[in-house]
Amino acid sequence: MLQLAAFKALGPNVVTCSAAVSACEKAAEWQPAMALLRAAQLAGLELNTVACNAGLGSCQNAWQWERSLALLAGMRSGPLPDVISYTSAMTSCGDSGQWQVALSLIRELKARKLSPDFAALSAATAAAAAAGNTLAGDPAGQSSSWMAALQVHRELCQEGLEPGLSTYHSLIRACQQGGHWLGAVASLQQLSSQGGLSLDEVSCAAALSSCQASGQWIWVRRLLTELALGVNRECGGDAKKE
């Protein structure tokens, strides 16, 4: 609670509040962060988006998704949340297995005429993909999970944003856990064709596992062949460099 004591000692203002809450965020101390925000409100300060986002970040780092939602709800009447606010709340929900809540936030973000950036859409994709871990034994739920992940992935591409490797990991894993082998293969092929990214063990293993579980042995052999060719090309490229 040192940040709270320092905040009171220095005199309450938005600058000192934001700095103190940011310190709590870095230390994943969500309770002091919430106490600071409450103290600022009681002091009659009008909190800004920066201070509230720092509070959301502290909740995200501590896996406090319900606190994140409560803080975000308070921001709807001022200060207004921005894309960073929603991204932080979505990540918090996704990390806690609340993928449907996370996806509702991406819809709310768009309804507020905010443009989701790469981080926001990646957070939504990861949230949907992570649902597979919490929906084991629930085929209907896992099906909804991979469909949601594919939908958000399409939106990411439509926004002109190039998915990163971690996004493809999330997407392929969601398809694997949902038994959608074709989606896993298509995502792997898209990853392979995207400039600047290369196939890795995590993505390939998930796609192979998906095909194997569905009895798609032709695709298993094809993927193994493509992987072998890719390794040979890389080795050949390294040899030329030497």
Side-chain angles (χ1 to χ4, degrees), residues 83 106 109-110 113-122 151-163:
V83 175
I106 195 76
L109 182 154
K110 291 184 175 182
K113 307 301 181 183
L114 295 173
S115 298
D117 58 8
F118 175 82
L121 290 170
S122 294
Q151 176 59 35
V152 177
H153 178 73
R154 281 193 291 269
E155 292 179 17
L156 192 154
C157 295
Q158 289 170 359
E159 293 288 338
L161 303 170
E162 292 189 353

Side-chain angles (χ1 to χ4, degrees), residues 64-188:
Q64 294 292 323
W65 68 274
E66 291 174 308
R67 297 285 180 175
S68 291
L69 291 181
L71 181 53
L72 186 66
M75 293 177 69
R76 293 184 180 111
S77 58
L80 294 178
D82 58 11
V83 175
I84 295 175
S85 311
Y86 280 101
T87 301
S88 182
M90 280 190 290
T91 302
S92 183
C93 291
D95 289 344
S96 301
Q98 303 297 321
W99 66 279
Q100 290 174 315
V101 179
L103 294 182
S104 72
L105 291 177
I106 195 76
R107 290 191 289 269
E108 180 182 322
L109 182 154
K110 291 184 175 182
R112 285 181 170 270
K113 307 301 181 183
L114 295 173
S115 298
D117 58 8
F118 175 82
L121 290 170
S122 294
T125 304
N133 296 326
T134 61
L135 294 172
D138 180 6
Q142 288 188 327
S143 176
S144 299
S145 170
W146 68 256
M147 286 191 290
L150 286 174
Q151 176 59 35
V152 177
H153 178 73
R154 281 193 291 269
E155 292 179 17
L156 192 154
C157 295
Q158 289 170 359
E159 293 288 338
L161 303 170
E162 292 189 353
L165 190 58
S166 61
T167 303
Y168 279 108
H169 284 172
S170 299
L171 184 60
I172 295 172
R173 187 173 68 252
C175 292
Q176 174 201 2
Q177 293 169 337
H180 186 49
W181 69 270
L182 190 57
V185 170
S187 300
L188 188 69

